[in-house]
Amino acid sequence: MRRPARISLVNLLLWALGGGIILFVAVGSWLTLQQGLLTFEDWRSLVIFGVTQGSIYALIALGYTLVYGVLLMINFAHGDVFMFGAMTSFFVADALAQAGFLNSNPIIGMVIVVAVSAVSAMIVALILERIAYRPLRRAPRLVPLITAIGASLFISNSVRGLYGELARAWPRIDSLVGTVDIAGIPFLKTQVVVIVGAILMMVFLYWFVERTRTGRAMRAVSENKDTAALMGIDVDRTIVITFAIGGILAGVAGVLYGIVFNQVHWFMGFLPGIKAFTAAVLGGIGNIIGAMLGGVSLGVLESIAPTLLLTGFGVPTPNQLKDVVAFTVLVLVLIFRPYGLFGRPEGK
């Protein structure tokens, strides 16, 4: 007769932690909804804002997950690549706005601003790959990780010295002011631009990776670099393209961030970068679909959860704790499902 498996103390503690979290979420949500402080329209607005900021997280998270997919390393400097694109494009956007070109030709103006941000972020990503990471490709995994942290500090402080430490107000674009109704639901025009822009970029990336020869090479390199090289794939070129795509996505995300939050500054890469990393871990780092869904999910959670869970307990300004929600999600994912919702354990 088969003996029942013993339950370890660690598993008991994890079950107790999971039960406590479920109880906290249920009680907090019930108390908040009972009070009826927010209307249906208020909750809907929170969801829309969450999807908007989650779309930005998703674009940045794709850079993390693409690089991890081919190099099995966490590029902690990627948030600063995003920041560099946003800061560089600000000066172009500001010059175009002062000349009146951004408001008289908003589409052409935005294309120029996005192109400047994407190209500048891509250049920084390529420099990182060539100088900081390529020489360490065969080194232990801790070495490039420490290098990435050093590169992050170098980029952020270089931008601080180059562009100044003051926050810059993103120029106003008249055609993006106001709301537009979609299926009877009012959206800010900036939210529509961000959500549609992010969806187009993500659909293009998915098509590129799944349907093109270069995309198949990227998937082959992510499986095994040595085998991919034996099959005639140029591994170095494929890794360079991967960094370039991650940089372009980060540059686009930088402009979308400026449109939504109306300001950019030299330290803006830190929190969005860490949250995008959280989104990548949530979805399963190395998984493109997971990064997309993880980013949007984290954005919605960050927008709704503080109000939904904490208002009922009498917390006066729950939205100030939204960062706590994001990092709590990171800790819980690492505890209960370290390979994410759509990822797979290493070696499988």
Side-chain angles (χ1 to χ4, degrees):
M1 186 175 180
R2 190 174 180 180
R3 299 176 60 182
R6 296 182 60 183
I7 300 175
S8 67
L9 179 61
V10 173
N11 284 335
L12 281 176
L13 291 174
L14 288 177
W15 289 349
L17 177 61
I21 292 170
I22 292 172
L23 182 64
F24 172 76
V25 170
V27 173
S29 303
W30 183 79
L31 289 174
T32 300
L33 296 175
Q34 280 290 99
Q35 294 179 5
L37 297 177
L38 272 69
T39 64
F40 172 76
E41 288 75 18
D42 294 331
W43 290 112
R44 187 177 63 192
S45 297
L46 287 175
V47 172
I48 293 172
F49 179 75
V51 173
T52 305
Q53 69 177 357
S55 300
I56 298 172
Y57 293 159
L59 286 179
I60 307 172
L62 285 168
Y64 280 102
T65 212
L66 285 173
V67 170
Y68 185 85
V70 297
L71 287 181
L72 294 180
M73 66 161 285
I74 307 296
N75 179 17
F76 276 118
H78 189 64
D80 296 284
V81 172
F82 151 79
M83 176 273 295
F84 186 84
M87 286 295 291
T88 305
S89 62
F90 159 78
F91 291 98
V92 177
D94 190 52
L96 293 176
Q98 290 188 21
F101 185 82
L102 200 56
N103 281 320
S104 58
N105 299 279
I107 296 178
I108 299 176
M110 283 305 299
V111 169
I112 294 173
V113 172
V114 170
V116 168
S117 182
V119 171
S120 57
M122 180 188 71
I123 290 172
V124 172
L126 293 179
I127 291 174
L128 274 177
E129 190 278 331
R130 185 64 186 88
I131 296 179
Y133 300 145
R134 189 179 298 187
L136 305 175
R137 202 168 288 169
R138 299 287 180 180
R141 291 172 67 173
L142 185 61
V143 176
L145 181 67
I146 295 172
T147 303
I149 295 173
S152 170
L153 293 172
F154 175 81
I155 295 171
S156 60
N157 283 284
S158 297
V159 170
R160 182 186 186 183
L162 184 64
Y163 294 148
E165 59 183 1
L166 296 177
R168 309 280 183 167
W170 192 263
R172 167 190 164 121
I173 304 173
D174 292 340
S175 56
L176 294 182
V177 176
T179 61
V180 57
D181 280 1
I182 299 176
I185 301 174
F187 288 80
L188 293 175
K189 291 180 180 177
T190 52
Q191 293 173 335
V192 175
V193 169
V194 170
I195 294 171
V196 172
I199 290 174
L200 289 177
M201 292 297 295
M202 288 187 278
V203 169
F204 174 77
L205 175 65
Y206 186 77
W207 170 83
F208 182 83
V209 172
E210 294 292 326
R211 301 294 182 187
T212 66
R213 181 186 292 270
T214 304
R216 286 193 288 272
M218 290 168 63
R219 284 186 283 146
V221 171
S222 71
E223 291 292 331
N224 190 301
K225 293 183 193 60
D226 295 331
T227 305
L230 290 174
M231 295 172 65
I233 294 173
D234 188 336
V235 174
D236 285 341
R237 175 179 174 274
T238 303
I239 293 174
V240 166
I241 292 174
T242 303
F243 271 84
I245 293 173
I248 290 171
L249 293 172
V252 174
V255 174
L256 299 182
Y257 182 95
I259 291 174
V260 172
F261 296 100
N262 297 320
Q263 69 171 6
V264 293
H265 52 87
W266 68 276
F267 200 60
M268 62 179 280
F270 179 70
L271 272 181
I274 294 295
K275 290 176 182 177
F277 170 67
T278 303
V281 173
L282 175 62
I285 194 159
N287 186 303
I288 292 176
I289 299 293
M292 297 176 187
L293 296 179
V296 176
S297 302
L298 183 66
V300 173
L301 273 175
E302 196 179 288
S303 179
I304 291 181
T307 304
L308 180 63
L309 303 182
L310 301 177
T311 302
F313 291 109
V315 176
T317 52
N319 281 329
Q320 291 186 357
L321 299 174
K322 64 178 185 177
D323 296 337
V324 176
V325 172
F327 298 128
T328 302
V329 169
L330 176 61
V331 171
L332 293 178
V333 170
L334 291 176
I335 290 175
F336 290 104
R337 197 174 171 86
Y339 44 90
L341 299 177
F342 301 95
R344 57 184 179 180
E346 286 191 18
K348 292 188 178 180

